[in-house]
Amino acid sequence: MPTQPLSQKEIEDRLRELPGWSLAGDRITRTYRLADHFAATALVVHVASIQQELDHHSDLTLGYNSVVLSVNTHTAGGVTEKDFALADRVEAVASGHGAN
Ligand SMILES: C[C@H](O)[C@H](O)[C@H]1CNC2=NC(N)=NC(=O)C2=N1
């Protein structure tokens, strides 16, 4: 059964449990700040490995000392539980990279 898009209320309820994350159009997004470019690059590589494991992929933008993650579920045409599962996994590792 295909993953269903969450309603606006369901998304807002889930976002309350994810400080730093917000809804931008039909995607959820968060910007992480890191110590420097190397630390930001290491976080991108770590997120990429999580995404391969989950078979779910965000758009990742690497800056000098920042990483912007933006995701929805293309196949569902909106935000689904898969996006929040990815967000939860990234949150669990981000602090280990010194991200905030
Ligand atoms: C076949 C494969 O499972 C799909 O193409 C996956 C891969 N990663 C994906 N990532 C995201 N963000 N949305 C998808 O719909 C999606 N689909």
Side-chain angles (χ1 to χ4, degrees):
M1 184 160 140
T3 309
Q4 296 299 310
L6 298 173
S7 70
Q8 178 91 12
K9 180 179 184 316
E10 287 170 325
I11 294 168
E12 286 167 2
D13 287 349
R14 293 296 306 271
L15 284 172
R16 255 177 241 118
E17 297 156 23
L18 277 175
W21 288 80
S22 60
L23 185 64
D26 65 350
R27 308 172 72 84
I28 57 170
T29 183
R30 175 165 180 179
T31 298
Y32 292 100
R33 298 279 165 202
L34 294 110
D36 55 31
H37 190 60
F38 193 78
T41 304
L43 177 60
V44 165
V45 171
H46 201 159
V47 171
S49 92
I50 291 168
Q51 294 185 155
Q52 286 303 98
E53 182 192 329
L54 297 181
D55 190 27
H56 198 66
H57 305 86
S58 67
D59 289 354
L60 286 168
T61 305
L62 174 62
Y64 159 62
N65 64 351
S66 66
V67 175
V68 181
L69 197 152
S70 167
V71 66
N72 69 6
T73 304
H74 325 139
T75 50
V79 177
T80 71
E81 287 295 344
K82 287 186 173 185
D83 303 305
F84 283 102
L86 174 60
D88 287 342
R89 288 287 302 274
V90 174
E91 284 294 296
V93 302
S95 59
H97 289 266
N100 55 52

